[in-house]
Amino acid sequence: LSLPAPLYVVEKDVPSNRVILGRDAALYRRTVEAEEAFFVREMPKRFPCTAKLRYHQKDAPAQVELTEKGFRLFFAEPQRAPAAGQAAVLYDGDELLGGGRITGAE
C-alpha cells in the first residue's frame, strides 16, 4: 500500500480474519494484563513498582493489581506497543519483584 504516513498493526481480529492498522499514536496503552505471573516474594494485592515491557525500554512507573490469573499494570504514562506473548517485568529500584506474560492491553 502506498500511504501518506507509516501505519502499524494495532490489533488482530482473528475470528474475522482482519488486521487493524493505525498510526504510531494508536500503539500506546496505559493498562497491561499479564498471566503466568511469578514473584520473588509474597506481594500485596496492589503495589507500586516500575515495569519494563521491552529489554531496552526504560523502567516506567506503574501500579500493580494482582488478579486471579496474574496481574494488571496501570502505567502513569502510556507505553508503546505492549504485545501479547512478551514479558512484563516488575522492579523496585534495582530489585526484581517478578513478572508475567502479556495477554492484552487497553
Side-chain angles (χ1 to χ4, degrees), residues 58-94:
K58 288 184 179 181
D59 293 12
Q63 287 287 323
V64 179
E65 178 181 78
L66 301 183
T67 64
E68 208 170 280
K69 294 184 176 184
F71 60 86
R72 186 175 295 116
L73 281 170
F74 300 95
F75 285 97
E77 296 292 326
Q79 300 299 300
R80 188 177 188 276
Q86 291 181 316
V89 184
L90 314 176
Y91 297 92
D92 180 7
D94 290 336

